[in-house]
Amino acid sequence: MAGNGETSWCFSQIKGALDDDVTEADIISCVEFNHDGELLATGDKGGRVVIFQRDPSSKASTPRRGEYNVYSTFQSHEPEFDYLKSLEIEEKINKIRWLRRKNQSHFLLSTNDKTIKLWKVSERDKRVEGYNTREDNGSIRDPASINSLRVPSIKPMDLMVEASPRRIFANAHTYHINSISVNSDQETYLSADDLRINLWHLEITDQSFNIVDIKPANMEELTEVITAAEFHPTECNVFVYSSSKGTIRLCDMRSSALCDRHAKLFEEPEDVDTTNKSFFREIISSISDVKLSNSGRYMISRDYLSIKVWDLHMETKPIETYPVHEYLRTKLCSLYENDCIFDKFECCWNGNDSAIMTGSYNNFFRIFDRNTNKDVTLEASRDIIKPKTVLKPRKVCTGGKRKKDEISVDCLAFNKRILHTAWHPLENIIAVAATNNLFIFQDKF
């Protein structure tokens, strides 16, 4: 954030093909920085994971630039078929979560609808030559031809980045996985689907503990589903999960093995004003994402029209509410007809919890500065893909006379939506996924 409270962002990079003809498999489905922001991972609908690495020269330059180069690309998931249920299982990557770095290698979890995989990403720039029993190309040597003992030597080689699956966690979810979250102990993680949350140990693939189960005995009595879940950043026994009814439950694993009784329930008080009650009220109050702050004191929740900040010490109401695209409230009927009302927008914090970001339609994304109460609408547009181009704030006109730089609400492109965004944990560098392109922006030079 700029020093005077005004947000000023400029274009840094765009990744992905710039053709208008986009294949479904290339659409980005998740974006995630690692803990120091050196690596940035994206997953797509084709089951691929692409990892970008911060360009060392961009970090050393003055002023610092936020530039990333492709580091590794690998196929994480393949399409599968569940023969028992006659269901196709998509290869689309739903979530990526990094583990904290413990050695030279990097580890990340990636998941599709059913299977979670732990990947090891490591570098190799040396090779061993001079084996006694085999040639350098790998073929076995004839023992009769070996008449001297060779001491193998290590030789330098071109840098190679290898991604290998270390663990595969499967067959634990009946419904589609919507969240994974690594615990602060870095030994366990949770995975959540529509009705259950499971707790895993990173070393054990054939066993998980069911810690939340909201499935009723009779499915006709089902009133809500789990939409997102996340561990607390420092308290390893605490996690939160959100529901399609607009509530967030905080659970403490110390209280019981099955956390069916929550410790806290965060819910906005019922609106007594009947003017806001509509047929769509239940749909738009469904929480699509929840994220705990880096400090662990606050959390943000995103519903269809707004983003709310909650204090974990106060359950009764949010401490801040920011409208994201209030101008769509009058358009809910058409948004219901074209299914846009069911879009699941994510949200994220900046490194020091002073700002939050989330997406909207027309490739717009919103940044809210909590200190100054100022907000800005920016556009991830191909028209500005010149380095250092400053992003101009966008405004949407809802009626009456439209000003020159405004866009009418009726002209918004609802097929261009920004669902996935990520904020560098230490710097003002943001990654925004717009269909098949990844935009990287940074604060003004």
Side-chain angles (χ1 to χ4, degrees), residues 67-240:
E67 290 175 7
Y68 286 76
N69 303 320
V70 174
Y71 179 63
S72 176
T73 303
F74 57 93
Q75 188 73 32
S76 172
H77 287 71
E78 301 278 359
E80 294 173 62
F81 192 80
D82 185 333
Y83 291 96
L84 285 173
K85 295 183 178 162
S86 294
L87 277 176
E88 282 184 35
I89 301 166
E90 282 187 333
E91 65 271 41
K92 174 190 161 202
I93 309 293
N94 291 341
K95 285 285 184 289
I96 290 173
R97 289 291 178 264
W98 290 94
L99 275 67
R100 286 193 179 273
R101 197 174 184 186
K102 291 183 180 149
N103 53 34
Q104 288 297 98
S105 301
H106 297 274
F107 288 86
L108 62 85
L109 288 167
S110 63
T111 185
N112 67 350
D113 285 340
K114 296 287 179 186
T115 306
I116 305 152
K117 295 185 182 181
L118 173 66
W119 289 89
K120 177 185 180 181
V121 182
S122 52
E123 294 182 359
R124 213 170 66 196
D125 61 355
K126 294 179 180 67
R127 69 173 186 272
V128 178
E129 285 182 2
Y131 285 106
N132 288 286
T133 55
R134 68 172 192 255
E135 301 290 353
D136 291 337
N137 63 6
S139 60
I140 303 296
R141 292 178 74 190
D142 178 11
S145 69
I146 301 171
N147 49 26
S148 64
L149 188 65
R150 295 195 289 183
V151 177
S153 59
I154 295 173
K155 296 280 172 66
M157 60 177 267
D158 290 339
L159 179 70
M160 201 163 84
V161 180
E162 296 176 314
S164 54
R166 301 315 297 256
R167 304 272 184 279
I168 295 176
F169 307 88
N171 307 321
H173 285 278
T174 311
Y175 307 96
H176 290 177
I177 298 170
N178 56 47
S179 302
I180 48 175
S181 177
V182 181
N183 199 342
S184 58
D185 64 13
Q186 294 293 301
E187 288 183 2
T188 55
Y189 74 92
L190 64 76
S191 58
D193 66 24
D194 293 340
L195 298 178
R196 296 188 183 97
I197 299 175
N198 292 335
L199 179 69
W200 301 83
H201 193 285
L202 284 160
E203 297 295 322
I204 301 165
T205 58
D206 59 353
Q207 188 181 30
S208 65
F209 294 103
N210 180 228
I211 51 173
V212 172
D213 188 346
I214 64 166
K215 185 182 178 188
N218 178 7
M219 281 295 271
E220 287 180 7
E221 293 167 13
L222 182 70
T223 57
E224 63 181 333
V225 292
I226 297 165
T227 55
E230 190 179 51
F231 265 121
H232 192 279
T234 54
E235 306 284 335
C236 63
N237 48 282
V238 172
F239 68 94
V240 297

Side-chain angles (χ1 to χ4, degrees), residues 232-235 238 240 248-250 254 263-267 292-293 295-300 309-320 349 370:
H232 192 279
T234 54
E235 306 284 335
V238 172
V240 297
I248 305 166
R249 291 174 174 84
L250 182 142
R254 293 172 300 187
K264 291 188 175 188
L265 176 70
F266 299 86
E267 187 173 17
L292 285 146
S293 65
S295 67
R297 172 69 189 266
Y298 305 101
M299 65 180 168
I300 45 175
V309 181
W310 301 82
D311 186 331
L312 292 193
H313 296 182
M314 186 172 86
E315 303 155 66
T316 48
K317 63 177 188 208
I319 54 168
E320 298 157 31
W349 293 90
R370 299 181 58 222

Side-chain angles (χ1 to χ4, degrees), residues 276 278 284 305 325-333 335:
N276 269 346
S278 71
I284 62 172
L305 293 177
H325 38 217
E326 188 61 30
Y327 46 79
L328 296 182
R329 194 177 284 278
T330 56
K331 305 278 176 194
L332 293 177
C333 199
L335 290 164

